[in-house]
Amino acid sequence: MVSRVIPVEPFELVIFGGTGDLARRKVLPGLFRRFCAGQMPKDARVIGSARTELDRNGFRKMVADSIKEFGGKELASQAELPEFLECLDYVATDARGDKGWAELSAMVRKELVNAFYFSVAPSLFGDIAERLKRHDLADDTSRIVVEKPFGRDLASAEELNATLAKHFKEKQIYRIDHYLGKETVQNLMALRFGNVMFEPLWNGKYIDHIQITVAETVAVGSRGAYYDKSGAMRDMVQNHLMQLLCLIAMEPPAQFAPDAVRDEKLKVIRALQPVQPHEIVRGQYEAKDGQPGYREEAENPRSFTESFIAMKTHISNFRWAGVPFYLRTGKRMATRASEIAVVFKALPHSIFEDNEPDRNVLSIQLQPNEGITMDMTIKEPGPGGMRLVNVPLDMTFAEALGPDAEEVPDAYERLIMDVIRGNQTLFMRGDEVEAAWTWTDPIIEGWTARNDVPKPYEPGSMGPLDAHALMRRDDRNWREVKG
Ligand code: NAD
């Protein structure tokens, strides 16, 4: 692999839940990629820790297997694998007991950058935070990384924040939303704030509306009973979709610095209007072709939890007054694709008779492929008069930046390296999370009080028909997102 990156300083990273799904699927293969890229130094160490009894070699074998399973054959065959495995260690700890903590404390080299990844259920955050302090593992320079879900409503999020605040300062807490680690999400900021031509158009005078779609083809599957306690609003909208909305809508920060960026995001969340019942469509996928429906997978025949949601919301400020933001996300949909589309207004007057130009659309694709395109109107080349066509202008610039540019790190990799560098820009601050729940809670309470039943939708579709009606009522349509 090509080394184009500056190594971070040597670190000790302890992953609590180091044998769990997230660690095996994302965190550990991601660290190996950073090792191959030369960003993780050879004298850094990753210590797995979980209840499971394992020794160092057992953990190394588990990590090698995970790299093969989740990173692919190519990654697993990298020559650097044995060296990376040398950087791994393991200590079994019980988050709720004393087992392993003294051993872990003796192992961690405290003079290095210390980070502790809480890849465990949030109910263990307080226990682990308290033990890190009690066993002298963490001090005021240590960092902790916590995963979603960060609460299930405002009260529980406040409680989690208060628990962590007992032991760590806000500048030590890294709340991960991996959507913020995506290359194109950061490119969106570069595009908006690094070019002169977008900012003057970035308002209700020129923008008709904005669509954010996060579509998944997967079902809730074996996680059904767990998912049934949250639903699409809590699982996706409150965090990922709102973070994307913030980056699209925020004012330019005075500088690209963690709190300057997060202050502006917070203002967006606080300016979100309450959503009215007729602006929300919730759905549940049906059974099809022998595949179970949502309620069967949730093991709850009377479940009112949504596996799909579409909604329209507004931001009450000068920039966005009158511009609707349409959000939708769901499981078992037609395609796996995430896209933000900024749909510009129609021309005030077209000089091309019988040949009206299409609207400009800036679309930011987050998955499966990352990229940014701008639909522009040009003249179709060749003779035959003034025929207009709409073509996408590709602004990913992968070619312009050379062959290595395509090798972008996965969101988790980038975020973990940011933790080591001590850069919180792409992490959620406690007040941001609480503001997001403050907006979300009344919406959920509203449909709960109304006993609102989600609409069934066909698996492989783009959600219930009502989701299309939500747009059509406003004389608009959802864009076709490509997987
Ligand atoms: P998991 O159940 O696969 O793993 C949990 C880990 O915690 C295991 O290593 C287990 O040994 C350890 N553990 C449990 N109780 C313990 C105790 N008392 N003491 C010490 N260790 C203990 O869970 P996961 O899917 O890896 O998820 C971990 C966290 O990350 C959860 O909060 C989850 O919501 C979040 N998350 C997971 C994913 C994912 O893709 N799996 C994605 C986003 C967020």
Side-chain angles (χ1 to χ4, degrees), residues 55-67 85 88:
D55 60 11
R56 174 189 293 161
N57 287 335
F59 184 61
R60 288 177 178 175
K61 176 162 185 333
M62 188 212 82
V63 175
D65 291 346
S66 306
I67 288 172
L85 296 178
L88 306 182

Side-chain angles (χ1 to χ4, degrees), residues 266-397:
L266 180 62
K267 285 185 211 161
V268 173
I269 303 175
R270 288 189 173 153
L272 278 171
Q273 280 182 8
V275 181
Q276 303 306 317
H278 67 276
E279 295 170 326
I280 305 169
V281 177
R282 297 191 310 134
Q284 280 177 344
Y285 58 83
E286 300 173 297
K288 191 182 175 189
D289 299 336
Q291 302 288 322
Y294 174 75
R295 288 182 169 194
E296 269 171 85
E297 291 193 314
E299 296 164 22
N300 182 0
R302 289 181 43 78
S303 168
F304 283 5
T305 304
E306 74 286 354
S307 62
F308 171 93
I309 188 164
M311 64 201 304
K312 173 166 114 173
T313 184
H314 282 94
I315 298 171
S316 300
N317 63 20
F318 263 55
R319 189 188 286 268
W320 297 113
V323 182
F325 285 71
Y326 298 93
L327 316 179
R328 66 174 167 169
T329 180
K331 306 271 184 205
R332 281 290 255 149
M333 291 174 70
T335 182
R336 173 175 175 259
S338 301
E339 186 197 73
I340 308 170
V342 180
V343 182
F344 286 84
K345 288 196 165 160
L347 287 170
H349 167 73
S350 170
I351 62 167
F352 306 104
E353 278 179 25
D354 308 325
N355 207 348
E356 195 151 328
D358 279 342
R359 290 168 184 228
N360 295 122
V361 179
L362 177 71
S363 72
I364 298 121
Q365 294 99 35
L366 305 171
Q367 59 189 23
N369 299 313
E370 298 201 43
I372 301 183
T373 55
M374 178 88 179
D375 290 354
M376 307 281 288
T377 297
I378 58 162
K379 177 193 167 294
E380 204 175 311
M386 194 64 175
R387 287 168 294 121
L388 303 182
V389 301
N390 208 249
V391 292
L393 173 70
D394 188 342
M395 293 196 278
T396 313
F397 296 129

Side-chain angles (χ1 to χ4, degrees), residues 16-26 49-52 90 92-97 101 117-125 128 147-149 178 223 226 240 412:
F16 293 106
T19 57
D21 181 69
L22 179 69
R24 288 187 300 115
R25 189 185 292 277
K26 289 283 178 192
S49 186
R51 245 186 335 197
T52 324
Y90 185 85
T93 51
D94 182 358
R96 294 218 156 110
W101 288 95
Y117 199 124
F118 292 19
S119 185
V120 293
S123 55
L124 296 177
F125 288 0
I128 294 178
E147 268 293 340
K148 79 163 203 183
H178 70 272
R223 287 178 65 233
Y226 168 80
H240 304 319
Y412 272 97

